[in-house]
Structure formats: structure tokens, C-alpha cells
Amino acid sequence: MTREGLKFPVIAKPLIAAGAANSHQLSLILNQNGLTKLNPPIVLQEFVNHGGVIFKVYVAGDHVKCVKRKSLTDISEEKLNTSTSENYQVSNFSAQNQSDHESFAELIEAAEMPPLSFVNEVANRMRDALKLHLFNFDMLRDSRIGTRYLVIDVNYFPGYAKMPEFETVLIDFFIDIAHQKRSSESGNSDQMENKN
């Protein structure tokens, strides 16, 4: 445990996450010594073994889609107990630790999706708390506690091109917005007539 309350390993993310060339250059830091090699400003986030699969949840109003994607592989106890101060670029670490006998495609295929009702509840609560209608977030399943999910990233203006059926979802979202606007305008007209 560090003075800051984080447990190693940690992921170091650039503080500026949009528009910068290095905004997606993440580093895996195994211990306190690795912190000295970082260039601030950064955000540190505790790393949790999660089976090498991340769940990307896309939200467009009331429409929610969850998809599986490859992520960092789990970190072995042997690697955690190393005294080296070496840091790993996340993309390089993933490539080095890919299992020979099980491809990422098989790993992702075998990963169980989180319950849809749970994903919808998280998405709805985040939408209400953030006051956003278009966003996505990344979620992990903690390998130690299979029913524990962690939201690790929120994007307030995401790209939807990788979301399955994104055209249909976005069209439905815009139709919903148009109906809500029409209902709101109709309600305002009725109130004005009643006042007269």
C-alpha cells in the first residue's frame, strides 16, 4: 500500500485524454520504484486482474449496448513480486503476455457478458448523475470476485463506429429526442391556451 492509498500494480494515464497524441499511451507500473519514471500530469488507477476482457458500454439516451473487447492480460503473482522498476507500455505488455495456447478471440468468446439488467441499471444511473445522453464507459469484472464490476473509464463524446448496429441505435435515439421535443412543445402550447 502506498501513502496515496493505491495498491500496486497501477495504470498511469495522461491527464489530458482528448485530442493529444499521447492520450491513449497507458503504462503499467508494478511497484513504487516505477513511479519515478513517469512524466506528470497523470492519473493513477489501481490495476485489477480481469481475465483480459473489457466490457465497453455505449449509451444513447435509453438505448444501451454492451460489447466485449480484449484488454490487458492478468498479471501473475511472479510478475507482481518483482523488484524491478521497469514500466510497461500497455500495448507492449499485452502482446508479450498473450497466451500461446489460447488466442484473444477464444478468450473473448468464452467471457461471460454481465447481466443486461445490471448493465442497464449502471448506464441509467450514470446518465442521470452525469446529465449526459451520449456517452460510453468501460467496465471490468474483477477476477477475484466474479460478481464485482468496476467502471474504469467514461467517455463523454465517444465514437460509436465500433458499436454493433450503431446506425439503428443512433437513429432510434434521435427519433426519441424528436418525440420528446414535440411532446414538450405540445404541452407548452396546451398550457398557453389554458392561460388564455
Side-chain angles (χ1 to χ4, degrees):
M1 183 80 67
T2 67
R3 288 180 303 213
E4 294 80 19
L6 287 175
K7 293 180 187 174
F8 286 96
V10 295
I11 298 286
K13 301 178 176 184
L15 183 61
I16 299 171
N22 66 345
S23 65
H24 295 290
Q25 290 183 356
L26 311 181
S27 297
L28 177 65
I29 293 46
L30 298 179
N31 55 44
Q32 186 91 28
N33 295 333
L35 294 175
T36 60
K37 297 183 176 185
L38 298 175
N39 295 320
I42 55 169
V43 174
L44 295 177
Q45 189 173 46
E46 192 172 320
F47 177 84
V48 173
N49 279 338
H50 55 282
V53 177
I54 192 167
F55 303 100
K56 296 192 93 45
V57 181
Y58 296 90
V59 181
D62 293 328
H63 307 277
V64 178
K65 280 268 192 199
C66 181
V67 296
K68 299 183 273 189
R69 296 276 187 261
K70 72 177 181 172
S71 181
L72 269 178
T73 57
D74 288 350
I75 302 172
S76 68
E77 287 298 318
E78 178 184 322
K79 181 76 73 180
L80 287 176
N81 293 328
T82 184
S83 60
T84 180
S85 63
E86 185 175 4
N87 293 348
Y88 298 92
Q89 285 302 111
V90 166
S91 58
N92 296 340
F93 187 81
S94 290
Q96 289 173 4
N97 290 286
Q98 184 173 350
S99 171
D100 292 335
H101 66 278
E102 185 176 27
S103 72
F104 271 124
E106 292 168 341
L107 182 73
I108 291 171
E109 183 65 33
E112 181 183 339
M113 292 288 276
L116 186 58
S117 60
F118 173 73
V119 172
N120 284 329
E121 181 179 349
V122 172
N124 290 337
R125 289 186 181 201
M126 289 183 72
R127 185 182 60 237
D128 293 344
L130 299 170
K131 306 287 188 249
L132 294 173
H133 294 284
L134 293 170
F135 66 98
N136 84 321
F137 59 94
D138 297 341
M139 191 166 55
L140 305 175
R141 179 186 293 120
D142 189 335
S143 292
R144 295 166 300 169
I145 308 165
T147 57
R148 180 177 180 229
Y149 291 89
L150 304 161
V151 173
I152 61 162
D153 200 10
V154 179
N155 300 301
Y156 63 89
F157 194 67
Y160 285 88
K162 293 183 180 179
M163 180 180 78
E165 304 168 0
F166 77 91
E167 300 96 339
T168 305
V169 170
L170 290 177
I171 288 169
D172 289 344
F173 166 69
F174 291 125
I175 289 171
D176 290 349
I177 295 292
H179 286 307
Q180 290 171 7
K181 184 172 179 170
R182 190 174 298 135
S183 295
S184 174
E185 289 171 353
S186 174
N188 288 340
S189 295
D190 291 344
Q191 288 177 359
M192 294 295 284
E193 287 176 15
N194 289 338
K195 285 182 180 178
N196 293 334

